[in-house]
């Protein structure tokens, strides 16, 4: 059945139920209850009563008055109550979940694009400026940026190691093509000796250390930021599918469906009554609130720290400039480096060689040149700022969830007759408790016991990621 048909049918049933449906006295027929039961629970059950009768076997929807419910109906209502809670939670969190998941995907896609752009810039540098060594350098460039991506997206790789690997592999190429241009040693052992000597000779000056510093301080916050967003999605997915206690299910059944048994098909629970039931059911979830608040604050602080020369966008897109500085440094110190290499690796038996020329795809070059002019409004920093501003609106999500459910959907408006768990009344007179486990000791509608191990596990994960954000 499509949505418009369902909505029209539902409205027709509600109109049929309108007359006399908010009074607890004088219910002569169960016809309205039967129709709503069959519609809501999709299908009929044999033995639905046509008129009110005694219900001694009911477990939750007990009443001294005649009832339109059977034990079988009550059991189906119990299932419906649990499903309603699950659906209510998922609906309430849908905007927040979409906000985080959409931005997590967008940030990862943006980082992947930045990595490709930075790799293109570096390839273009070799093709345009150091054409003789471009093809030989291509594998090292590709490996370096592959490692950058692996690290950003959570793999167990070490930035210091892959930076060192890149400059180790670059030195033999610079030595063969710039320091001793036009000749090359055919021995792989000799090239390996040059590669191994790089860290002792420091042919690139302090450039490798600068790259390590910039990569470490820019990649780690971005990696942590992405991991934190993925944890946020995990938290919401977990709370969306929490298993509620038997006491909660019975309390929701009494609040939502027991009035049907008395023919009160249009009644809504009193606000105070709804708050007591929802705050009791979601008491454990409310314990997440201070940690969720701290989680969002830590994301905000982490985002604020990702700027300037240590912004990942700046570092990646300017990496090729540092590579150029490193190659020029080695070229300038060529005679000295040549003597040092001869002392360490010996003099090579040289054979003239013709290095393969660069055949870099022009379309990539055009792409690389095109991306140098970036729209200021589309920078990663601006996207993060917009995301954090939106996320900040959800800081009290878990602390306000019970109230939100009652105010926005479940409870009757102030001043209207409402269901108090037993009958239709003008107002709810019981004490209304606060949010959280500690406040539930005086809850007149539901008993809340102990702690929830799943919630405790979520809290531990939030604490861990908050600590990670602070240690960036």
């Amino acid at each position: 059945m499509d949505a418009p048909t369902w909505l029209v049918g539902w409205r027709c049933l509600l109109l049929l139920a309108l007359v006399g449906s908010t009074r607890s006295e004088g219910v002569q027929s169960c016809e309205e209850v039967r129709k709503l039961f069959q519609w809501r629970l999709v299908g009929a059950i044999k033995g639905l009563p046509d008129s009110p009768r005694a219900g001694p076997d009911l477990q939750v929807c007990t009443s001294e008055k005649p009832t339109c419910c059977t034990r079988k109906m009550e059991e189906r209502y119990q299932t419906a109550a649990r499903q309603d809670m699950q659906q209510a939670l998922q609906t309430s969190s849908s905007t927040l979940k979409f906000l985080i998941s959409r931005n997590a995907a967008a940030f990862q896609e943006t980082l992947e694009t930045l990595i490709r752009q930075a790799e293109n810039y570096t390839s273009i540098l070799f093709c345009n400026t150091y054409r003789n060594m471009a093809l030989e350098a291509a594998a090292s460039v590709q490996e370096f940026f592959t490692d950058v991506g692996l690290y950003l997206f959570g793999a167990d790789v070490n930035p210091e190691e892959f930076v060192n690997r890149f400059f180790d592999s670059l030195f033999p190429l610079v030595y063969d093509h710039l320091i001793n241009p036009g000749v090359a040693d055919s021995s792989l052992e000799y090239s390996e000796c040059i590669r191994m000597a790089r860290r002792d000779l420091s042919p690139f000056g302090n450039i490798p250390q600068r790259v390590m510093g910039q990569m470490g301080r820019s990649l780690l916050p971005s990696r942590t930021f992405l991991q934190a967003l993925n944890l946020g999605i995990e938290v919401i997915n977990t709370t969306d599918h929490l298993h509620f206690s038997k006491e909660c299910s019975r309390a929701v059944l009494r609040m939502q469906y027991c009035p049907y048994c008395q023919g009160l098909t249009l009644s809504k629970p009193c606000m105070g009554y709804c708050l007591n039931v929802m705050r009791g059911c979601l008491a454990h979830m409310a314990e997440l609130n201070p940690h969720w608040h701290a989680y969002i604050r830590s994301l905000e602080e982490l985002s604020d720290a990702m700027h300037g020369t240590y912004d990942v966008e700046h570092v990646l897109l300017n990496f090729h400039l540092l590579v150029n500085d490193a190659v020029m440094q080695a070229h300038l110190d060529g005679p000295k480096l040549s003597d040092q290499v001869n002392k360490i690796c010996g003099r090579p038996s040289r054979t003239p060689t013709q290095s393969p020329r660069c055949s870099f795809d022009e379309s990539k070059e055009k792409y690389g040149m095109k991306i140098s002019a970036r729209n200021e409004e589309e920078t990663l920093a601006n996207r993060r700022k917009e995301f954090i501003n939106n996320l900040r609106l959800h800081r009290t999500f878990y602390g306000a969830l019970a109230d939100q459910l009652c105010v926005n959907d479940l409870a009757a408006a102030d001043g209207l007759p409402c269901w108090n768990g037993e009958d239709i009344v003008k107002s709810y007179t019981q004490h209304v408790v606060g949010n959280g486990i500690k406040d539930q000791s005086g809850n007149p509608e539901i008993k809340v016991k102990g702690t929830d191990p799943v919630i405790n596990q979520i809290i531990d994960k939030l604490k861990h990621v908050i600590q990670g954000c602070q240690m960036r």
Side-chain angles (χ1 to χ4, degrees):
M1 184 181 295
D2 59 23
T5 304
W6 186 93
L7 186 59
V8 169
W10 179 250
R11 286 173 175 170
C12 288
L13 286 171
L14 290 182
L15 287 172
L16 286 172
L18 185 59
V19 180
S21 62
T22 56
R23 298 194 307 270
S24 61
E25 297 178 0
V27 178
Q28 302 298 322
S29 170
C30 295
E31 184 66 19
E32 298 163 13
V33 178
R34 286 164 56 90
K35 288 179 179 179
L36 288 175
F37 179 84
Q38 291 174 357
W39 182 270
R40 172 64 180 84
L41 301 177
V42 190
I45 288 184
K46 292 182 179 180
L48 293 182
D50 294 313
S51 59
R53 62 188 185 184
D57 58 343
L58 297 181
Q59 300 293 305
V60 179
C61 299
T62 57
S63 175
E64 296 178 357
K65 301 173 184 177
T67 178
C68 287
C69 288
T70 64
R71 177 69 183 278
K72 189 76 82 172
M73 291 172 68
E74 187 182 55
E75 290 173 356
R76 293 288 293 274
Y77 280 140
Q78 180 77 83
T79 301
R82 285 194 294 267
Q83 293 172 345
D84 288 348
M85 277 294 292
Q86 208 86 64
Q87 184 61 47
L89 289 179
Q90 292 172 16
T91 300
S92 296
S93 67
S94 60
T95 300
L96 174 58
K97 182 178 177 180
F98 179 71
L99 173 67
I100 299 177
S101 59
R102 180 191 62 187
N103 279 279
F107 289 138
Q108 178 159 335
E109 183 180 353
T110 300
L111 288 171
E112 289 170 349
T113 300
L114 286 174
I115 292 169
R116 289 195 302 271
Q117 292 172 350
E119 183 176 348
N120 283 343
Y121 280 158
T122 309
S123 298
I124 290 168
L125 167 71
F126 281 105
C127 258
N128 289 348
T129 310
Y130 309 108
R131 185 169 289 267
N132 286 344
M133 70 175 84
L135 285 181
E136 294 174 82
S140 296
V141 171
Q142 184 178 34
E143 180 185 7
F144 175 80
F145 285 104
T146 297
D147 286 334
V148 169
L150 288 172
Y151 179 76
L152 275 174
F153 304 133
D156 186 19
V157 292
N158 188 315
E160 183 175 337
E161 291 178 3
F162 63 70
V163 169
N164 271 325
R165 270 200 308 272
F166 174 77
F167 284 104
D168 287 347
S169 65
L170 183 61
F171 184 37
L173 302 182
V174 173
Y175 186 82
D176 288 342
H177 294 286
L178 292 181
I179 295 175
N180 288 310
V183 293
D185 179 56
S186 58
S187 167
L188 292 176
E189 288 78 10
Y190 194 78
S191 292
E192 178 65 13
C193 179
I194 298 175
R195 191 186 73 80
M196 294 292 290
R198 196 274 302 175
R199 301 188 198 188
D200 292 327
L201 299 182
S202 298
F204 304 124
N206 69 343
I207 301 296
Q209 285 71 33
R210 286 175 59 190
V211 172
M212 284 181 203
Q214 290 188 8
M215 288 290 171
R217 290 190 61 179
S218 66
L219 298 185
L220 178 58
S222 293
R223 170 187 167 110
T224 303
F225 193 79
L226 270 180
Q227 289 174 335
L229 294 190
N230 288 325
L231 176 66
I233 298 169
E234 180 186 341
V235 169
I236 297 169
N237 282 335
T238 303
T239 55
D240 274 354
H241 297 91
L242 277 181
H243 294 291
F244 293 100
S245 67
K246 182 179 179 180
E247 289 79 5
C248 171
S249 296
R250 289 167 67 92
V252 174
L253 166 62
R254 184 180 298 107
M255 181 180 79
Q256 288 289 88
Y257 291 104
C258 284
Y260 285 20
C261 297
Q262 296 184 30
L264 305 172
T265 53
L266 291 183
S267 68
K268 280 195 168 187
C270 303
M271 181 61 72
Y273 175 43
C274 181
L275 290 174
N276 276 339
V277 172
M278 289 295 106
R279 287 174 178 176
C281 282
L282 302 178
H284 295 106
M285 205 178 291
E287 297 298 308
L288 287 173
N289 196 57
H291 306 285
W292 182 256
H293 193 287
Y295 161 78
I296 292 178
R297 185 173 63 249
S298 68
L299 279 177
E300 184 176 359
E301 292 171 353
L302 180 61
S303 180
D304 288 343
M306 295 157 64
H307 61 82
T309 57
Y310 296 107
D311 174 69
V312 67
E313 188 167 20
H314 174 88
V315 169
L316 288 177
L317 296 184
N318 287 280
F319 171 73
H320 67 290
L321 299 178
L322 288 176
V323 172
N324 187 53
D325 290 345
V327 174
M328 291 179 64
Q329 177 73 47
H331 192 194
L332 289 172
D333 293 339
K336 182 181 73 172
L337 289 172
S338 183
D339 290 341
Q340 291 173 327
V341 168
N342 288 339
K343 290 179 182 178
I344 296 173
C345 300
R347 292 183 178 275
S349 55
R350 298 172 178 171
T351 56
T353 182
Q354 182 66 42
S355 298
R357 290 282 177 173
C358 174
S359 59
F360 192 68
D361 188 344
E362 288 186 5
S363 65
K364 289 186 178 180
E365 182 169 0
K366 289 178 182 178
Y367 176 65
M369 299 306 291
K370 181 180 179 181
I371 58 174
S372 62
R374 295 181 59 80
N375 187 334
E376 189 65 24
E377 295 181 358
E378 295 180 356
T379 64
L380 192 59
N382 285 338
R383 290 179 181 178
R384 281 197 310 267
K385 183 178 180 180
E386 181 182 359
F387 165 66
I388 292 296
N389 287 338
N390 289 325
L391 186 62
R392 200 182 290 122
L393 302 175
H394 300 273
R395 285 176 296 187
T396 61
F397 173 74
Y398 285 105
L401 184 55
D403 298 45
Q404 178 187 337
L405 290 174
C406 290
V407 171
N408 293 348
D409 184 46
L410 297 177
D414 288 341
L416 294 180
C418 54
W419 173 254
N420 69 353
E422 296 180 358
D423 207 342
I424 296 296
V425 295
K426 291 183 178 180
S427 62
Y428 183 70
T429 58
Q430 297 283 358
H431 170 65
V432 179
V433 300
N435 282 295
I437 294 176
K438 291 181 180 179
D439 286 334
Q440 301 312 307
S441 59
N443 195 324
E445 307 301 340
I446 181 172
K447 292 182 179 179
V448 180
K449 301 176 182 177
T451 58
D452 188 323
V454 175
I455 294 296
N456 290 341
Q457 192 175 45
I458 294 174
I459 290 174
D460 288 341
K461 289 183 177 181
L462 285 171
K463 287 180 177 178
H464 179 73
V465 80
I466 290 167
Q467 186 178 24
C469 290
Q470 294 170 343
M471 291 174 62
R472 56 188 180 274

